[in-house]
Amino acid sequence: MALAKNLASLIEESSDFDEKKPKSRMELKRSYEFRIKKRVKEQYVNGKFQDLMEKVIANPKTLQDSYNSIMLNSNVDITVNNNRLSFESMAEKLYNGNFDVKANTFSISTKGARKEVLVLPNLILKVVQEAIRIVLEIICRPFFSKISHGCRSGRGHSTALRYISKEISNPDWWFTLILDKRVDACVLAELISVMEDRIEDPRLYDILRRMFDAQILNLEFGGFPKGHGLPQEGILAPILMNIYLDLLDREFYRLSIRYEAINPNFHVGGDGSDSKLRSWFRRQLKDSDPNHIVDSKSGPRVHACRFMDEMFFAVSGSKEIAQTFKSDIVNYLQNSLHLNVDNRTEILPCEGHVGVCFLGTLVRRQVKESPAVKAIHKLKDKVKLFALQKREAWDAGTVRIGKKWLAHGLKKVKESEIKHLANSDSTLCQISSFRKAGMQTDHWYKFLLKVWTQDVKAKAAESEELILSKYIAEPALPQELRESFYEFQKRVDEYVSSETAAALSLLPNSCSSAKSVTITEIVAPVSAIKKRLFRYGLITSEGHPRTNSLLILQNDSQIIDWFSGVVRRWLTWYRECDNFSEIKLLISNEVRKSCIRTLAAKYRIHESEIGKRFDSELSGIPSTQEIEHEMADETSEAFTGNEALIYGFPYNGLCILSLARMVSQSRPCNCFVFGCSEAAPCVYTLHVMERQRFPGWKTGFSSCIHPSLNKRRIGLCTQHLKDLYLGRISLQSIDFNAWK
């Protein structure tokens, strides 16, 4: 009896401990949506959800839960009661149908003749939209297709790319489709008709139409990347887009049956179309099995992967089949869904180095090398690196000799001006008659060097170091030394550039006709990333790290947080990319050094002193050796949680802010983040650095902030500035109407 009591007390203690344990943002948000889910399920009558606006959305408890969900998106402590909204009053207006949508909006426009207007909701309308979003996702999300990714549990950027690289076997052709359409009355009517299959609620559709009339839905196909936390992506846009494009997903399955199961131009044998239809259903069941091997002779196959409005298609079969399949998809989008399709994309062969851009990365097919071939290539890389090190040492030595030659020449020119040191028989004394009266020594020496460079025809040289090395130092070196060095470099170039056939012939089993294995690679856009590093002021045009002038006036911790935000995004976005080693070099060689140089310029001290002073703070920007350890420790909620609950956070790009002014008592300012009442110590200016053409590359930076927000001033508290830099919140959490 005593043992049972002790066990019971242990269970009570453990439950008390669980209750006292603080819940994470993810757990809290899930609990709020679960409460609303219970209310939604109660409205399921006769096969449809009814009276959702009256019984669920216009409920003060639902509005309170939606408000708390927005506060969690803003990383605001919901235990602190800063709420000034009356949920009872909001619920009453929604229930009576007299909620004024347009009165709860504000607009921002660009300056100049060509104005671009962005209409955004205030906090009251934002809460209503969040409540509608949660209700629609509870109802519609379970019915979405498996090829649909984005704003879904367990289906985001990473799962979409993993599906393409791991589950699409042996494609012959692939292409992407680019949509370009702002939602109009025709699309909205079609969208509502789709929703009416599951939801019977005229009042819900009425408020959606009023939001459309007020231009607050912000639903646009194409235009900018989705899921990046951009302000111009409306709260309801993700779920409404998935509901509408689910029609395309269903059409794809109908087309896949037509092309794979009942294609008259291909015969499996046996029972004809019946056996093909059976094999199609078997493939659908076995596609999720990683050990399932696809028969290359099983006829044409079509594949699709969609992340919101970005679409990827692959075809196993002839080019004619791929062209017909693309034509069917485009016709359905244009004629049935009333969407515009850009004709820029072409059907590309999967073989070769040409890939397609999807979700900001490059998707391409490459031949998988055997371990023996990898070893040979690794040896070639080592030889190439060794030769490069010798070349750098040779250039450094010859440049040093050239600089000594320059110094010696200047010394001789100065000696020629001193009577007791001058040699009347020297060349300098003989040509001194060409020297103009009053010409300074340095000017005279530069004039002589100019004449010399014209004489040796060195004017076309790329740099001064090249002149010193090639035209001064190397001719003075022994001929045998020069010939041996260049012979070594020549042999290395021949070895590195040679084909691997000769080396493969030395390998065991080289005569066996082993079939090469081709794999799909996901490649990070390194060249595009380097262009953004230059645009944001982290590197020079030559690729060298430099000081970022826009950040130099901010606090030390804020500067480091900004650079850490770049690194955290890269580690998370590109960790599964096949060229991740290049990203690691960018982190250690460009980003880390740029941060150190920015801090060094701020304090006007040497870079080595910065490394000692900020050793612990700079740990957030790891060196090459620390990157793997940093990846293992990366457990941030913003990157590892449910992608349906954190949509807009994991892939929101980094923006750059410059210090506009300090806040004083005469000009106070509170934080602009929704729900935050903290005082903002500083006001910052938001800089819109780029506007990539959709679809753009995923580089770690915000690629398409609306131009109306350029040079917009915002106040942020210390915590939320850090959250914005590190990716814990996005620009969608900022109230740009805080200053009227």
Side-chain angles (χ1 to χ4, degrees), residues 122-141:
N122 64 8
L123 183 56
I124 294 175
L125 183 55
K126 205 175 179 72
V127 170
V128 176
Q129 288 185 325
E130 179 71 6
I132 297 174
R133 180 196 68 81
I134 295 173
V135 169
L136 292 179
E137 288 196 353
I138 290 170
I139 295 172
C140 301
R141 199 162 56 194

Side-chain angles (χ1 to χ4, degrees), residues 24 234 240 293 308 341 466 618 644 731:
S24 64
L240 294 179
I293 300 175
M308 305 307 291
V341 181
L466 188 62
L618 289 171
L731 291 175

Side-chain angles (χ1 to χ4, degrees), residues 339-498:
L339 300 177
N340 301 330
V341 181
D342 197 320
N343 294 322
R344 282 181 287 158
T345 59
E346 298 179 355
I347 299 175
L348 299 174
C350 298
E351 300 301 327
H353 296 284
V354 179
V356 293
C357 174
F358 183 66
L359 291 182
T361 59
L362 181 68
V363 181
R364 69 184 183 189
R365 297 277 288 174
Q366 287 282 82
V367 177
K368 186 178 180 180
E369 297 177 339
S370 64
V373 176
K374 282 185 179 180
I376 294 174
H377 289 172
K378 189 174 181 180
L379 176 61
K380 291 178 113 178
D381 291 339
K382 287 184 176 180
V383 172
K384 187 177 180 180
L385 179 61
F386 179 75
L388 180 62
Q389 291 173 345
K390 295 301 178 184
R391 161 64 70 182
E392 290 176 351
W394 175 272
D395 291 340
T398 52
V399 168
R400 187 164 57 249
I401 294 172
K403 288 180 179 179
K404 290 183 177 180
W405 178 87
L406 281 178
H408 181 74
L410 181 60
K411 177 183 175 183
K412 289 297 182 182
V413 169
K414 290 182 177 180
E415 288 180 353
S416 67
E417 297 175 349
I418 303 173
K419 291 184 178 180
H420 68 277
L421 294 177
N423 184 3
S424 58
D425 297 330
S426 65
T427 307
L428 283 174
C429 290
Q430 294 175 5
I431 64 175
S432 60
S433 58
F434 297 98
R435 184 174 181 176
K436 296 180 180 179
M439 183 179 285
Q440 297 293 328
T441 305
D442 293 345
H443 190 191
W444 171 239
Y445 187 52
K446 289 179 182 178
F447 177 76
L448 294 177
L449 289 176
K450 183 179 179 181
V451 173
W452 174 80
T453 53
Q454 292 175 350
D455 182 58
V456 298
K457 298 180 180 180
K459 202 170 183 180
E462 296 179 358
S463 62
E464 296 176 358
E465 287 77 9
L466 188 62
I467 295 175
L468 296 176
S469 176
K470 297 294 182 183
Y471 296 94
I472 296 175
E474 289 190 9
L477 295 175
Q479 184 177 356
E480 294 180 359
L481 179 62
R482 295 199 310 271
E483 291 178 352
S484 61
F485 173 75
Y486 283 108
E487 181 66 21
F488 167 74
Q489 293 291 333
K490 180 181 177 182
R491 297 294 183 186
V492 168
D493 292 340
E494 290 176 356
Y495 175 75
V496 170
S497 61
S498 64

